[in-house]
């Protein structure tokens, strides 16, 4: 039963940092566009590549949460025990 | 019964960071518009794409909370046990 | 009985971040209007769209709190058990 | 009996963030008026709309606290049990 | 007996944020008056309206604390039980 | 007996925020007087009105602490029980 | 016996904020005197009135601590019980 | 026996804030002297009056700690009990 | 069973710092591009090499989490015990 | 036996704030000397008087710690009990 | 069994600081390149040497985690006991 | 046995603040030398006197730790008991 | 068995501060090189000597962790007991 | 056995502050060299003397940790008991 708590905890805690990091990067990107409108395509492209990289840590947590809930190897052990 | 606590905890903690991150990005966006009114469409478009990306981490938590409350695989096990 | 605690905790914790985020965005919006009075309509419109997006995370928590108090699927189980 | 604790905790914690957020927005509004006295009506109007939106998260907590104290659905269950 | 603790905790925690928020707003108001003495009436009026709005969250806590101590609906239940 | 702890805790925690808020407002007031000596009466008057408003949250805590120690309605119940 | 702990805790915690607040106000006052030596009497007078107001929250705690140690109404109850 | 812990805790915690507050005021005083050497007597006098006021909160804690260790009214009760 | 908790905790905590660090680096990169558009290729290349290095600490956590869940050497011991 | 823990805790916690406060005052003093080399004697004298005042809070803790370890009035009670 | 928890905890906590430190250094490096494009090779080389040095603390943790999981000297003791 | 824990705790916690305070003072001293190379002897002398004063709080902790480990008055009591 | 936890905890906590400190020093070094390219060799040399000094605290922790795991003097006592 | 935990805790916590303090001093030293290259020998010499002083607090912890592990006076007591 503890895996429910763990899954919720994992996805909840694991989404704090990416959201903060992305918010910071996004805020700075808008400031950068306002300072150098001519570099807008370069900034936007770098921003989205970087956001995807940060998002990947959130996805790691999401994957682990799903593994814990649906496909953890202890399931068969518990079911059979 | 612990899944109720987990669901509430997940959505409560999981919505802290996106709200803070979006608030920061939005605040910077308004500052950017004030500095470069001519780039307003570009800033607004980048802002909303980025907000959607940050919102996605909140939605991950919302999805996991709903899964925990309505469709977790342990339900059948508990019901049958 | 634990669902009362969870509901109160969810809505209490879940309303911290949106309030802080909206306060920050609103504060910056007023600063932006003071710097660029001519862009006041654009800033106000962007502000309200963004506030609605941040408010959505508070509403997620409110929805989950109401579900926990009035319509959680464990209710029938407890009532019948 | 736990609902008394929950109600007090909910309204106490739930009023931290709105008060801080409103304090911040109000402080910035006064600064904005001092910088652009001519935009005073616009700033004041935007301020009050935004304060109302922030206040709404405090009211969510107030509503949930009252529901927990006076009208929670578990009441009949406890009274009848 | 727990309602005594809750009442004290509610009013103690619930008065942290309003005091901080009001202190911040008041500090900024004085700075604003020093920068724009001519706008002193407008700033003072906006300040007091905003302070009243922040004070309202402290009053919510005060009301809930009084309800918990003098008029909570569980009282009859305990007295009769 | 718990009411002694509660009373001490209430007045101790409840006096943190007003003291900090008043300290901040007072510090800013002195800075404002230094910047605009001519506005000294206005600043002083606004300062004392605002300090009284902040002090009110400390007084709420003081009142609740005294009620808890001397006049709480549970007293008769305990004395009679 | 718990009243000893409470008295110590009350005066210890209750003197944190006034000391910090007064330190901040005093620091700013010195800066203000350095910026506007001509306004030194006004600044000093406002400073001491404000310090007295902040000190009052520390005195509230001191009073409550003494009441708890020497004159709390439960004393007779304990002595008689 | 608990009074030993309380006395140590009281004086330890109660000396944190005065030391920080005095450190801050002292630091600012030195900066003020560097900016306005001509006002050095006024600054030094105001500094020492203010430091004495901050020190008073530390002395409150020291007094309460000594009372707890040597002269608390429960002593006779324990000795006689 | 404790390994489920550990795995979730590891990946959740372990992804906080990389996300924050990457968000900071990305934000600064965008600022740097806005300041020196001509150095955009150098900045982007350095950014991605550095991000990969930061990401490596997240991958360490991911590897350890997978080892804990699927291939920890205690598994045979528990299965055989 | 608890007095050993208390003594260590008292001197450990009680030396945090004076060290930080003195570090801050010392740092500012060096900056002040660098800005106004001519006022170096005044700054140094004020610094050492202030440091002695801050040090006094550390000495309060040291005294209480020694009292707790060597001369607390409960000692005879324990030895005789 | 506790070594699983320890390994996860070690690598999770141990990767917080390196990631933050590297993020900070990387962010500053990009800023430095933007300010002095001509020194780009020197900055990049110093950056990577420094990153490797910071990374070493993360590797210490990784090594200890692996030792704890696969080769700790208590293993034989437990297996033989 | 608890005195081992206390000694370690005392010296560990007691060395946090002096190290931070000295680091801050040292950092500012270097900045001061860079700004006023001509005042280098005065700054260095004041720095070392101040560092010695800060170091004294660490030495208090070291002395108390040694007293606790080697010469605490309870030792004979325990040995004889 | 507790030595496994201690070893992991020691190296995990002990590597936080060096990594942060080195990251800060490295970041400042890059800024310094960007400001004074001509002093690059001096800065780099001072940086590496300082980094080695900071790294030494991490190595202290690493040494203690290894001692705890492989060569602690209690081992023979436990093995023989 | 508790001395293992204490030793690890002592050296882990005790190395946080020196590492941070040294990192700060080192970072400022590099900045100072960049601002005043001519004062480089003076800055470097002062830096290393100060670092040695800060390092001393880490060495205090290291000494206490070694004493606790190898030569604490309770050892004979435990071995003989």
């Amino acid at each position: 039963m503890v895996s429910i708590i763990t899954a919720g905890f994992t996805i909840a805690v694991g989404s704090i940092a990416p959201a903060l990091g992305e918010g910071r990067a996004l805020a700075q990107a808008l400031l950068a566009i306002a300072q150098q409108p001519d570099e807008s395509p370069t900034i936007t492209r770098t921003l989205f590549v970087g956001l995807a990289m940060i998002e990947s840590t959130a996805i790691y947590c999401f994957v682990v949460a799903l593994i814990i809930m649906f496909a953890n190897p202890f399931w068969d052990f518990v079911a059979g025990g």
Side-chain angles (χ1 to χ4, degrees), chain A:
Chain A
M1 304 303 164
V2 83
S3 70
I4 300 179
I5 304 174
T6 311
F9 175 80
T10 303
I11 194 66
V13 171
S15 70
I16 290 175
L20 290 179
E22 290 179 16
R24 183 172 195 165
L26 183 54
Q28 213 69 26
L30 298 167
L31 202 66
I33 290 174
Q35 285 176 351
Q36 283 281 344
D38 300 335
E39 289 299 311
S40 163
T42 308
I43 290 169
T44 312
R45 202 183 54 234
T46 309
L47 173 69
F48 288 145
V49 172
L51 284 185
M53 209 143 179
I54 299 174
E55 192 79 15
S56 73
T57 66
I59 290 173
Y60 287 174
C61 290
F62 194 56
V63 165
V64 170
L66 290 183
I67 287 176
I68 286 172
M69 280 200 299
F70 292 105
N72 57 356
F74 295 96
W75 182 250
D76 301 329
F77 187 72
V78 174

